Amino acid sequence: MVRRSGCSRLATLSILGIALIFSPAPTRAQEISSDAPAQPQSSNSTYSHMAHSVVDPEDLEVSWRKMPARFLHDEKDMWLFPTKLGERKAWIGTAIVVGGTAVFIKEDPPLERKVRQTDIFSEYNKVLKSSISGGLITVVPVGFYALSLIRHDSYGQGTALLAGEAVANDAVLMIVLKTITRRARPSEFPPNGAYNDTFFATHNSVLGKGSSFPSGHAMMAFSVADVFAQRYRHHKWVPYVAYTLATAISFSRVTTGAHFPSDVFIGAATGFAIAHFDVLRH
């Protein structure tokens, strides 16, 4: 009980410190309007610029009212992604993720045996056990939103909403993949087990909780990390802290026997991609 309350206080203090340090960065549109004289544009040139420009993550204006439409737009882009595989960037990125996942699946048994047969991670696992790591993923955006609301910081509120939007998209993809793959968790095997025939080997519980592939913690941790890293990238240290914490949470899913390395790899990759190339780009 003392350990958990200490972790809760630490998380609360961390969020408070972040909220007090962060300040909304001026958006690109504001910089242009304040520093440059207005230039006349034809309607055709304006439309062409809007159609081909990429939205800067710092320029996104988000509100509760816009969230349903944004979520549906995310889902459309996510499930229609296979139609974009003809594009060079899309298929190269996909090949890297699929290839990396395949390599990890092959190496999952020996890696998992090594991790579970050592006690070197025992203290690490106590600090980042499932309830704590999952709580951090929830507490950071929710706490950040609450503190931004108190401070009347609309930029901070929007950042928290974007993190929540990314997590919601992660949850949909995670449930679908878990339901299809039905992969057994490492904890279902003895530490020195063979870890063979893990796919289509378990019965799904509600929302695919009993399935291991992919890691939902890794997906959501990297989505939240990327949102904060991109929105507050003018603070040089923020990306380092965000991605380091996401990596620590993801790694704990392997050391605690909750997931195989391949589950974590594809979870982290898809979570990052959903936040970086979908949520923050429209």
Side-chain angles (χ1 to χ4, degrees):
M1 184 66 67
V2 174
R3 184 188 301 274
R4 183 169 298 182
S5 62
C7 291
S8 299
R9 287 195 297 270
L10 178 60
T12 302
L13 289 173
S14 299
I15 296 168
L16 178 60
I18 292 172
L20 291 175
I21 293 173
F22 288 163
S23 59
T27 64
R28 194 179 304 276
Q30 290 173 333
E31 292 173 350
I32 293 175
S33 62
S34 61
D35 297 338
Q39 297 293 332
Q41 284 186 316
S42 67
S43 59
N44 288 338
S45 62
T46 301
Y47 176 80
S48 176
H49 172 74
M50 292 176 62
H52 293 88
S53 63
V54 177
V55 178
D56 189 295
E58 292 186 359
D59 291 344
L60 288 173
E61 295 181 3
V62 191
S63 66
W64 283 105
R65 180 178 57 83
K66 296 179 179 180
M67 294 307 291
R70 287 184 57 85
F71 176 75
L72 292 176
H73 187 282
D74 295 340
E75 289 297 302
K76 178 183 176 182
D77 280 355
M78 189 167 68
W79 295 110
L80 290 180
F81 176 75
T83 64
K84 299 179 180 180
L85 290 179
E87 301 175 9
R88 179 180 175 83
K89 290 183 179 180
W91 74 257
I92 289 178
T94 301
I96 292 173
V97 173
V98 172
T101 302
V103 170
F104 272 112
I105 288 176
K106 181 179 181 297
E107 297 299 323
D108 276 342
L111 289 174
E112 197 63 38
R113 279 194 292 270
K114 289 181 180 179
V115 168
R116 294 192 65 198
Q117 290 179 32
T118 179
D119 60 356
I120 192 174
F121 300 111
S122 58
E123 291 301 317
Y124 179 77
N125 292 340
K126 290 178 183 178
V127 175
L128 283 176
K129 59 184 178 180
S130 180
S131 58
I132 293 178
S133 58
L136 282 173
I137 296 171
T138 303
V139 166
V140 169
V142 173
F144 197 84
Y145 181 84
L147 288 171
S148 297
L149 197 62
I150 294 171
R151 297 177 64 230
H152 304 289
D153 177 6
S154 60
Y155 188 85
Q157 295 171 45
T159 301
L161 288 176
L162 287 169
E165 177 186 339
V167 167
N169 285 294
D170 291 338
V172 173
L173 181 60
M174 176 192 71
I175 291 170
V176 172
L177 291 178
K178 283 179 178 288
T179 302
I180 293 172
T181 59
R182 296 185 293 111
R183 191 181 196 185
R185 293 184 182 274
S187 56
E188 298 181 39
F189 300 85
N192 61 345
Y195 299 105
N196 292 328
D197 301 320
T198 56
F199 286 94
F200 315 109
T202 190
H203 296 289
N204 276 310
S205 59
V206 179
L207 303 181
K209 187 176 180 181
S211 181
S212 181
F213 186 92
S215 166
H217 280 68
M219 289 180 73
M220 296 174 187
F222 269 89
S223 278
V224 172
D226 189 62
V227 169
F228 278 90
Q230 295 303 313
R231 292 275 285 181
Y232 289 101
R233 64 181 184 269
H234 54 285
H235 294 289
K236 301 297 184 182
W237 57 272
V238 173
Y240 293 103
V241 173
Y243 292 129
T244 297
L245 182 57
T247 301
I249 290 174
S250 300
F251 184 65
S252 73
R253 306 307 289 158
V254 177
T255 60
T256 56
H259 288 282
F260 291 99
S262 60
D263 304 334
V264 169
F265 175 79
I266 192 169
T270 52
F272 174 86
I274 286 173
H276 198 85
F277 299 109
D278 197 358
V279 171
L280 294 176
R281 296 301 175 189
H282 76 88

